[in-house]
Amino acid sequence: MQIIVAAAKNWAIGKDGDLLWHLPEDMKFFRKMTTGNIVVMGRKTLDSFPGGKPLKNRTNLVLTRDLAFSREGVTAVHDTEEALTVLREYEPEKVFIAGGGDIYRQFLPLCDTAYVTRVYQDFPADTFFPDLDKNQEWELSYEGEQMEWEGLSFAFTTYKRK
């Protein structure tokens, strides 16, 4: 399984249930990587999408504690174990963990690759991704060319589990 995330220099990923920035290149990268695959997310992440609708051309697996939760185009599961049972039906390289913060923390130990769009600026936030640079189990294996959009410098990076 893989994680896909955009994180600031201080590993911030969100505030008040929303993203900290809008980078068209990052959205394009996310679409390219996840289309035709399985995305695993929490219900709040799903709700943050336009109209709370699932991502098109992907299998949307949503973790929620709400046992009555149901939404068209979504497979709902209620804990990590149930999610893993469903995910056994798929090739691990087709599974992308797509947030939010709690979901990333639950699934990080089960992933071997993290695609991280690094935004080279600190942001105030209430949701953070674990700092892979300080995690002994992970190493930076790729850092793409630094780009800029509306004053934000960023690059696509890949971390691999050692």
Side-chain angles (χ1 to χ4, degrees):
M1 285 191 290
Q2 296 124 136
I3 279 187
I4 189 162
V5 64
K9 187 175 167 186
N10 62 344
W11 292 91
I13 61 171
K15 185 170 173 143
D16 300 326
D18 206 357
L19 297 175
L20 300 170
W21 51 75
H22 176 76
L23 291 172
E25 283 299 314
D26 180 50
M27 295 297 173
K28 196 183 311 180
F29 177 75
F30 181 89
R31 246 187 332 272
K32 176 183 144 204
M33 296 298 289
T34 62
T35 296
N37 293 310
I38 298 87
V39 288
V40 180
M41 69 192 88
R43 192 225 6 108
K44 290 177 191 171
T45 298
L46 174 66
D47 287 345
S48 74
F49 298 155
K53 293 186 177 175
L55 298 169
K56 292 179 183 175
N57 304 314
R58 282 156 268 208
T59 299
N60 290 257
L61 187 68
V62 175
L63 274 90
T64 177
R65 290 183 191 96
D66 180 356
L67 298 178
F69 175 84
S70 177
R71 194 163 299 166
E72 188 176 335
V74 166
T75 299
V77 293
H78 303 97
D79 59 40
T80 307
E81 203 55 47
E82 187 180 357
L84 291 173
T85 299
V86 171
L87 292 172
R88 281 190 201 113
E89 300 173 25
Y90 303 97
E91 298 293 324
E93 61 274 2
K94 293 193 154 286
V95 177
F96 287 84
I97 309 305
D102 288 339
I103 304 304
Y104 284 135
R105 279 186 291 285
Q106 288 175 45
F107 283 88
L108 183 63
L110 306 172
C111 293
D112 57 12
T113 304
Y115 297 102
V116 183
T117 302
R118 292 306 308 269
V119 177
Y120 298 112
Q121 181 177 325
D122 285 337
F123 282 83
D126 56 21
T127 308
F128 294 84
F129 190 82
D131 184 339
L132 296 182
D133 293 323
K134 292 183 180 173
N135 187 321
Q136 297 293 319
E137 296 177 21
W138 291 86
E139 64 185 348
L140 180 65
S141 66
Y142 170 79
E143 186 168 11
E145 179 184 327
Q146 195 165 320
M147 297 174 267
E148 190 170 313
W149 192 78
E150 291 191 353
L152 288 179
S153 294
F154 66 97
F156 298 115
T157 67
T158 304
Y159 288 79
K160 294 280 189 180
R161 183 176 294 285
K162 292 181 186 176

